[in-house]
Amino acid sequence: MSVMRVALFVTCVNDTLFPGTGKATVRLLERLGCTVDFPIEQTCCGQMHFNTGYRDDARPLARRFTATFDGYDAVVVPSGSCAAMVREWYPSLGVTPPEGVYELSEFLVDVLKVTDVGAYFPHTVTYHPTCHSLRSLKVGSRPFDLLSHVRGLTLVPLGGAEECCGFGGTFALKNPAVSAAMCADKVRNVLDTGAEVLCAADNSCLMHIGGSLTRQRTGVRVLHLAQILASTEGDPA
């Protein structure tokens, strides 16, 4: 089997606030035998503009994405929301997305056909299935299958897992009281698990929940799925 030439779309949130997630994704994919490119021409996918109603502003960003990522075997996105934007909503802008755009867990399980990625993470973890990955992409059990094969990891169920955390991009800015109440419910459910780490596939949601966990000095860490899957005994997350 030939080596897959994969492009990483790191996303705005990861590039500016959580670069460790992008680095972890590259380490993981290279460990699994992929050649990973980072097209420097990449910019925002346009999701924020699109969701706020500025579709004419989102359209050139969608066209730029399609041109930038054309020709790769796969485009891997460590974000369910951005992957959903490209696959589900570009056509409504009159833009045909490039073939083979995958959220990270989809790529690992469906394309590389692996669930044991050789990770080691000796901690108790609970997983929050973010709205776009759950409802738009329907990634289902893929993240759980991957986490369940991590050596040393104890995966505990999260109560009310399928309920939104309240972030929702600009929703949190426009409806701060409702957003905070939804986040409080999510934090309470996280604390009820007794987990050391909260994991998700979108850093935007982890930023929202993690901010509350930190302000309350709970001691619970938040980590992107890529960071846990990239973790090894020699290079722990």
Side-chain angles (χ1 to χ4, degrees), residues 87-109:
R87 291 206 330 232
E88 303 293 321
W89 296 108
Y90 274 16
S92 73
L93 294 171
V95 177
T96 301
E99 294 184 6
V101 175
Y102 299 96
E103 181 271 333
L104 177 61
S105 71
E106 293 178 313
F107 180 73
L108 296 174
V109 175

Side-chain angles (χ1 to χ4, degrees), residues 15 29 57 98 103 151 163 165 167:
D15 184 44
L29 295 177
D57 294 312
E103 181 271 333
R151 290 187 303 115
E163 296 176 6
C165 71
F167 179 65

